[in-house]
Amino acid sequence: MTRGRYLGFVAAAATLLAAAPLSAIFDTMTWLLQSVVAVALVTGAATLARSLRAPVWAQVPAMMLALLFALTWIFPSGDEVLGILPGPATFGHFGELMSQSADDVRSYGVPVPDGDPLLFISVLGIGGVAVVVDLLTVGLRRPALAGLPMLAIYSVPVAVYSDSVPALPFAIGAVGFLWLLVADNVDRVRRFGRRFTGDGRDVDVWEPSPLAAAGRRLAVVGVALAVLLPVAVPGMSSGLLTNFTTDGGSGPGGNGRPGQGTGPGRVNLFAALSGQLNQSRVYDMVKVTTTEDDPFYLRFGAADEIRRDGFGVRTPRGTPVTRSLPDPREAARPGVSRETHRAEVEITDDFVMPFLPVYGEPVGTRELDANWLYDPDLQVVYSNRQQSRGKKYSFEYVRSRFSPIALRAATPLPAEDETRQRLTQVPAVPEVQTLVDGLIADRSNDYDRVRAIYDYFSRDNGFSYNLRTEGDTSGEDIVNFLDNKVGYCQQYSAAMAWMVRAAGIPARVAFGFTNGSNRTGGTYTLTNLNLHAWTEVYFGGIGWVPFDPTPASSVAGSARSAWAPDTDAPDPVTPSAAPTGSAGPNTPLDPGDENLSGGGLGDNYTDDPTGATPETAPTWPWWTAAGVALVIVLLALPGWRRGQVRRRRHAATVAAARAATPDDTAAPGVARVVVTGAEAQRARADAHAAWDELIDTLVDYRVPVDPTETPRATADRLVKADLSKPAAADGVRLLGRAEERARYAREPLPGVPLTEALRSVRRALAEGADRRTRLLAATLPPSVLLRWRGAIMDASGRLVATTGRWRDAVTRWSPRRLLAARTSR
């Protein structure tokens, strides 16, 4: 029972380790605490059943009842029998949780918040895996099969991740599986008592079998390769690296790319904006074609939630864009015009977001599936499962224009209105509140209050544009910006939204692209320097109205309107008299302006006077060519090696034939060669080289080779079976006679044309072989591949032997002696 209890505990621990990949799915570790409770109860029930000597078939119901009790305790319905026993209402509650979990799986993206439906199916799944693993490991003694249900847990993040799967949790789960195998192996060996090694060492030292040790080594190597290979090979999964670089660098993901690898509610749009505007490289992000002559900004996100560090992105809630979308044209109002237009968008690989950029308020989309949702409150198109990279789609949208008279006549939201209560909350900052109260003191309506705050961000009040500022939006950061009056779109939009909220009017920060300066017809090419942020204010009965407080002279493609004009618009002047730092989209900027130095050229400034976006040559053709070249080199390497060996052997035999000298004392008509000591050694070596070349040639052309045959027997067999031509038959007999004399005679056979004999044999074998054999003999000669395989096996054997010697040296001082002594009691 002690051994079974030990294996049961190891099986429980291995199950929990195998569940490590779920840490990449949930936002907190609540799932782990609940799973520990469920697995502990399952293991306790199995241990109790085995203590009572219950058969295997009875252990399974005991574990299932324990899992049911754990689920009832963790997820109660409130109508349990005696407060703890499941009843009919409990099973109905479980059914509701299962149904809700299916909706949450479709709605949420990783990491998901803690909710009872998703936690329920997670604990149920882990508990069920614990039952199966315990049954296979302890009951049926088949721990290797336990890897299948454990692998099922890892398939969950693989199914929900749209990009890469983190590798570190997989390594943790693999360690748990290896631990389970090792524990079972140790238990099986110890069932036979102590093992005597026979080399005079302490008999109490337990040693595993060589086969088991080799299996563990192979398993460790396999796990190491599975973890390290995606990190080392470009283009493969980078999940392990991104775990350690999240929020590093200039934006989410640490690479300056906005929002890569995160869900809609986890994207730090401010950090992404700051990182892109400070990039030294300019690259295209979006190409958009619209039927509107003068569109407003292309919008993809909004931050309306106040957190400790300032404005944050709230997790959106919406319905699939494949359904009907809200139509703002149905709410007609005097002074508000709404026009319908159509746009087509093509996103490059450099814009990676769970959001899609759209104009205005979309009322219909095409080329998008149900994974993309629309939140009518935030007015964003988002996905919990996909990213924007490489998307192509079209949509119809409504462009709204507002007259100042209509905005002044808008009815303020009542104090108890939920939108006003939520979107006017800001921490108390006395400096900001005092400033706001002074600005709106004599204003009688919301629009005039907003305009007073909007007009405050002007050059006349000392505000200027510069990217060399911190980008946070907390209360302290807002105060610093209002004191220093230097910043870029991020500070301007957040400060205005904060101040409008302090005035009791709902406001938020919107993110998107300006129109830029690269336009061809109705198509705009937008780059990373066209990213922008502005403020949106909510007016009762009208909706969200945009205000852009950032200086228009610093933003190429800046959009101004009748309700939010450019407060810094200068009087008409000649180009030579244009003030420094006030250049418009078509006016050259002064490089010496301190507000424009050091990367502060504005959200959209480019040195190219034509406004064209610098084209970056694609690198994939070079990588493809390099990969093809590498494959060709690797395939040609065996053939090159075979030719090199053949040339070396032929050169030796030719030189030996030329060096031989006839003996004048020989009988007439008989050429006898006098062989000296050095020449004899050379002749033997040449005969061996020629015979080795013959053997390799036979191997290359799939001719059987018998190492037990004598050279003469091999030559005779080849003449009868494969070499029918006289030249080839004479050649192989000559090679056999030369090798026979070199092996067994006192004097070798010098001065014979071994090279010509080899060539005749090779030609005859090639003529008798099929096309496939000839091709393999030329490109992938089996003789070379067999020799390389033998070298690898020898090196592997030497490595295993060396490792064994090191292990033996270490085990002499291993604490296993204490373990063996403890188990022997």
Side-chain angles (χ1 to χ4, degrees):
M1 279 314 141
T2 302
R3 295 188 179 96
R5 188 183 305 120
Y6 171 72
L7 282 179
F9 293 155
V10 173
T15 302
L16 292 175
L17 291 176
L22 294 182
S23 62
I25 296 180
F26 284 95
D27 195 15
T28 65
M29 301 302 289
T30 304
W31 69 272
L32 179 59
L33 299 178
Q34 295 177 348
S35 299
V36 169
V37 173
V39 173
L41 291 177
V42 169
T43 305
T47 303
L48 179 61
R50 284 189 286 268
S51 300
L52 299 176
R53 301 187 181 277
V56 175
W57 62 266
Q59 298 174 15
V60 176
M63 291 186 286
M64 297 298 293
L65 289 175
L67 178 59
L68 176 61
F69 179 78
L71 294 173
T72 305
W73 183 31
I74 299 173
F75 305 99
S77 65
D79 296 327
E80 282 74 23
V81 179
L82 301 178
I84 57 173
L85 299 179
T90 304
F91 293 101
H93 177 59
F94 289 169
E96 293 177 359
L97 291 178
M98 292 288 291
S99 176
Q100 294 175 12
S101 65
D103 296 335
D104 289 348
V105 167
R106 290 190 295 265
S107 301
Y108 286 113
V110 291
V112 299
D114 290 339
D116 282 349
L118 293 179
L119 290 174
F120 174 79
I121 62 171
S122 299
V123 176
L124 175 62
I126 296 174
V129 170
V131 172
V132 177
V133 170
D134 187 274
L135 175 64
L136 293 174
T137 303
V138 184
L140 303 180
R141 301 310 302 267
R142 295 292 186 270
L145 296 179
L148 296 177
M150 295 167 68
L151 184 62
I153 300 178
Y154 185 70
S155 64
V156 175
V158 173
V160 301
Y161 261 75
S162 59
D163 290 329
S164 60
V165 180
L168 187 59
F170 166 74
I172 296 175
V175 168
F177 181 57
L178 292 178
W179 182 18
L180 185 63
L181 295 180
V182 171
D184 179 74
N185 180 72
V186 172
D187 180 71
R188 289 177 181 272
V189 172
R190 283 179 178 159
R191 287 176 181 270
F192 296 96
R194 305 189 186 114
R195 184 166 175 260
F196 179 67
T197 60
D199 57 1
R201 287 181 284 176
D202 192 347
V203 296
D204 286 337
V205 177
W206 169 81
E207 293 183 355
S209 65
L211 182 60
R216 284 194 296 273
R217 284 195 295 271
L218 292 176
V220 172
V221 171
V223 171
L225 290 177
V227 174
L228 297 179
L229 187 61
V231 179
V233 177
M236 293 187 68
S237 170
S238 56
L240 180 61
L241 294 180
T242 54
N243 279 350
F244 297 99
T245 58
T246 300
D247 290 337
S250 58
N255 56 3
R257 303 291 174 88
Q260 184 170 2
T262 55
R266 308 290 295 179
V267 178
N268 188 339
L269 292 176
F270 288 99
L273 176 66
S274 175
Q276 291 298 324
L277 295 181
N278 284 283
Q279 287 282 323
S280 59
R281 185 172 69 92
V282 181
Y283 43 84
D284 296 345
M285 283 189 162
V286 178
K287 293 183 179 180
V288 56
T289 302
T290 176
T291 58
E292 187 177 5
D293 294 333
D294 185 22
F296 192 66
Y297 301 150
L298 190 66
R299 183 179 181 277
F300 60 78
D304 64 354
E305 190 174 68
I306 289 291
R307 301 171 181 171
R308 183 179 58 182
D309 56 347
F311 284 93
V313 179
R314 174 169 52 89
T315 301
R317 297 277 186 175
T319 58
V321 295
T322 53
R323 304 177 184 175
S324 59
L325 303 182
D327 192 344
R329 293 169 296 187
E330 299 175 355
R333 185 181 179 91
V336 179
S337 65
R338 305 188 190 274
E339 302 174 353
T340 303
H341 299 278
R342 180 179 175 83
E344 296 180 358
V345 178
E346 179 180 353
I347 300 178
T348 69
D349 290 341
D350 290 307
F351 184 71
V352 186
M353 276 277 190
F355 301 102
L356 292 180
V358 293
Y359 283 123
E361 300 173 74
V363 294
T365 63
R366 294 182 181 180
E367 294 89 35
L368 294 178
D369 56 29
N371 287 318
W372 291 97
L373 314 175
Y374 179 69
D375 186 334
D377 185 14
L378 290 174
Q379 297 176 336
V380 297
V381 178
Y382 69 98
S383 176
N384 293 312
R385 293 180 173 274
Q386 298 184 10
Q387 299 286 348
S388 60
R389 179 197 291 121
K391 286 291 182 182
K392 294 182 181 179
Y393 56 97
S394 61
F395 60 94
E396 293 182 354
Y397 67 95
V398 173
R399 168 70 186 278
S400 300
R401 289 181 171 87
F402 315 93
S403 68
I405 297 177
L407 294 177
R408 286 190 177 95
T411 304
L413 296 177
E416 64 274 8
D417 185 83
E418 188 273 335
T419 299
R420 177 171 180 174
Q421 290 180 352
R422 179 170 55 86
L423 298 180
T424 57
Q425 293 180 354
V426 287
V429 181
E431 298 89 341
V432 177
Q433 192 64 50
T434 301
L435 175 61
V436 171
D437 292 341
L439 292 174
I440 65 174
D442 56 348
R443 312 296 177 175
S444 59
N445 57 76
D446 284 352
Y447 174 71
D448 287 339
R449 297 186 184 99
V450 174
R451 276 296 305 270
I453 297 173
Y454 172 79
D455 295 341
Y456 176 72
F457 297 99
S458 65
R459 186 181 299 109
D460 294 339
N461 290 323
F463 284 90
S464 61
Y465 187 94
N466 198 321
L467 277 172
R468 287 188 174 182
T469 54
E470 297 295 332
D472 294 333
T473 60
S474 65
E476 181 181 355
D477 298 311
I478 298 297
V479 172
N480 293 336
F481 169 68
L482 295 176
D483 289 340
N484 300 327
K485 299 184 178 181
V486 178
Y488 58 102
C489 61
Q490 179 168 316
Q491 284 90 357
Y492 279 95
S493 58
M496 180 177 175
W498 190 293
M499 295 172 68
V500 171
R501 286 190 172 202
I505 305 172
R508 66 189 181 192
V509 179
F511 298 85
F513 295 88
T514 67
N515 296 326
S517 56
N518 189 358
R519 177 179 180 179
T520 303
T523 300
Y524 296 83
T525 300
L526 309 178
T527 71
N528 56 309
L529 296 186
N530 296 132
L531 286 165
H532 191 53
W534 62 96
T535 305
E536 293 180 342
V537 182
Y538 190 85
F539 290 88
I542 294 180
W544 291 101
V545 179
F547 290 82
D548 188 0
T550 307
S553 59
S554 301
V555 181
S558 175
R560 292 298 185 264
S561 58
W563 67 89
D566 183 5
T567 58
D568 292 329
D571 296 331
V573 293
T574 60
S576 59
T580 302
S582 302
N586 300 319
T587 306
L589 298 180
D590 182 4
D593 190 346
E594 65 176 323
N595 292 334
L596 303 177
S597 61
L601 295 178
D603 289 25
N604 319 96
Y605 181 73
T606 174
D607 291 333
D608 189 350
T610 66
T613 302
E615 293 291 340
T616 302
T619 59
W620 66 264
W622 298 102
W623 286 107
T624 303
V628 172
L630 180 60
V631 171
I632 293 175
V633 170
L634 293 177
L635 292 177
L637 190 58
W640 172 82
R641 176 58 180 169
R642 183 70 181 93
Q644 186 184 39
V645 173
R646 184 184 302 115
R647 285 190 296 271
R648 186 180 70 248
R649 290 168 175 170
H650 286 180
T653 56
V654 170
R658 291 176 179 174
T661 57
D663 185 5
D664 297 337
T665 63
V670 179
R672 185 172 184 272
V673 178
V674 178
V675 182
T676 63
E679 291 176 349
Q681 294 297 328
R682 175 65 179 272
R684 294 182 190 277
D686 295 340
H688 294 328
W691 187 256
D692 291 340
E693 176 63 23
L694 174 63
I695 296 301
D696 285 349
T697 302
L698 297 177
V699 173
D700 291 340
Y701 286 98
R702 308 291 183 179
V703 178
V705 176
D706 187 356
T708 63
E709 287 182 334
T710 64
R712 179 178 298 181
T714 299
D716 294 339
R717 177 172 58 84
L718 294 175
V719 170
K720 294 178 181 178
D722 300 284
L723 303 175
S724 58
K725 291 186 177 182
D730 294 342
V732 74
R733 287 195 177 97
L734 177 60
L735 293 172
R737 187 166 63 253
E739 176 65 10
E740 187 179 43
R741 290 279 298 273
R743 289 186 187 182
Y744 310 119
R746 177 176 298 178
E747 291 184 1
L749 186 65
V752 293
L754 300 179
T755 301
E756 294 300 329
L758 285 171
R759 289 174 178 170
S760 63
V761 173
R762 183 176 181 85
R763 283 195 296 268
L765 291 175
E767 292 174 359
D770 56 70
R771 182 180 302 176
R772 179 176 180 274
T773 301
R774 291 196 301 271
L775 179 62
L776 292 178
T779 58
L780 298 173
S783 60
V784 174
L785 300 181
L786 290 174
R787 190 172 292 111
W788 285 354
R789 186 176 68 176
I792 293 174
M793 295 178 63
D794 292 342
S796 176
R798 289 193 298 271
L799 178 61
V800 171
T802 303
T803 305
R805 288 195 296 270
W806 289 350
R807 188 195 63 184
D808 292 340
V810 172
T811 53
R812 294 178 184 273
W813 296 275
S814 173
R816 286 179 176 176
R817 299 173 182 271
L818 299 177
L819 179 62
R822 181 178 64 82
T823 56
S824 63
R825 296 190 183 98

